[in-house]
Amino acid sequence: MDALSEFVFAPPPSLFLNVVTVVIPVVVAMLGLSEARGRHLQYSKFWNANSSPKSLEQFKLPSWLGMLLAYTPALLAGVVSLWFFPNEDRRTLLLKSALTLHFLKRDLEVLFVHKYSSKMVFDTAITISSSYFSSTALMIYTQHLSKALPEPSIDLKNIGIALFLIGIIGNFYHHFLLSKTRKQGETGYKIPQGGLFNTVICPHYLFEIIEYFGFAFISQTFFSLSFAFGTAFYLAGRSSATKRWYASKFEDFPNHIKALLPFVF
């Protein structure tokens, strides 16, 4: 703990927060393991996975509406925190601003960038929405409580800002490239190309992970750091499943393409 105290705040005096710091990232990581094993949250290309008589009866949303439902509550959490508590310290203001910008970008991409062709199971939309909203609110709340604690001796805010900017720009760029794989009116999938798509099938996930570690470095709390690791595990599992999906659908899928990390995984 002495070594860690140089990099992160001490845990806040809240049993609830200390419990969810462990529980929520573990649950998110377990969802990633389920993805890797073929049990998917039902959105994007996996919207009709896990087929069963019961799943056929599940209420489904248009993908764009499901994604707005997933992202907007977290965006509102950030906006409300900025509106009602504008006079926070620099670290807290940076964290709230970064989280708000992240989810604003995601909503704008849903409306103006992505080209959707599938459905999204309502239960999946609620699961993702709950995860994003709770993690955003808890990051902000943890940061608020940490103001009363001694600052870590090593300040990682500027590194966090750099990671966040790299992550959000890289994520947008590869989402833009993905959108260009379809012309207006097309619904099928193609192998994406350009940028890091030439080495991994999910570079947008890689940059989202970088964003979340940006949040963690700005925040320097145990909750933000543990949630970043949980997010990394989930997206690693999802990217592994995505690579298998492309390889099963396209005979010309390049063998050298990895799932998430260039040349590694």
Side-chain angles (χ1 to χ4, degrees), residues 190-207:
K190 301 174 185 176
I191 300 173
Q193 297 179 341
L196 289 184
F197 281 117
N198 296 328
T199 57
V200 295
I201 198 61
C202 292
H204 48 307
Y205 288 173
L206 173 61
F207 283 102

Side-chain angles (χ1 to χ4, degrees), residues 23 102 181 189-190 211 219 235:
V23 172
H102 169 73
T181 61
Y189 283 91
K190 301 174 185 176
E211 273 192 88
S219 174
L235 292 177

Side-chain angles (χ1 to χ4, degrees), residues 87-199:
N87 299 317
E88 300 272 17
D89 61 274
R90 181 171 178 263
R91 186 189 297 277
T92 306
L93 183 60
L94 281 170
L95 178 66
K96 294 193 295 187
S97 299
L99 287 165
T100 303
L101 181 58
H102 169 73
F103 288 106
L104 175 62
K105 178 188 85 66
R106 298 306 295 266
D107 270 1
L108 292 175
E109 286 174 339
V110 170
L111 295 172
F112 302 111
V113 176
H114 296 306
K115 297 182 177 74
Y116 295 105
S117 63
S118 58
K119 303 288 186 180
M120 186 175 189
V121 172
F122 180 73
D123 289 356
T124 290
I126 293 299
T127 298
I128 297 173
S129 181
S130 299
S131 175
Y132 280 141
F133 174 78
S134 62
S135 62
T136 299
L138 287 169
M139 273 192 242
I140 294 169
Y141 181 53
T142 304
Q143 201 67 54
H144 177 75
L145 293 183
S146 297
K147 290 191 300 180
L149 301 172
E151 283 270 338
S153 58
I154 298 175
D155 189 349
L156 301 176
K157 286 196 299 291
N158 290 335
I159 296 175
I161 293 169
L163 288 174
F164 168 72
L165 291 175
I166 291 168
I168 198 170
I169 292 169
N171 181 263
F172 171 77
Y173 174 64
H174 289 92
H175 279 165
F176 177 76
L177 292 179
L178 269 178
S179 74
K180 293 303 179 183
T181 61
R182 285 179 181 164
K183 296 180 181 178
Q184 194 66 35
E186 290 184 337
T187 59
Y189 283 91
K190 301 174 185 176
I191 300 173
Q193 297 179 341
L196 289 184
F197 281 117
N198 296 328
T199 57

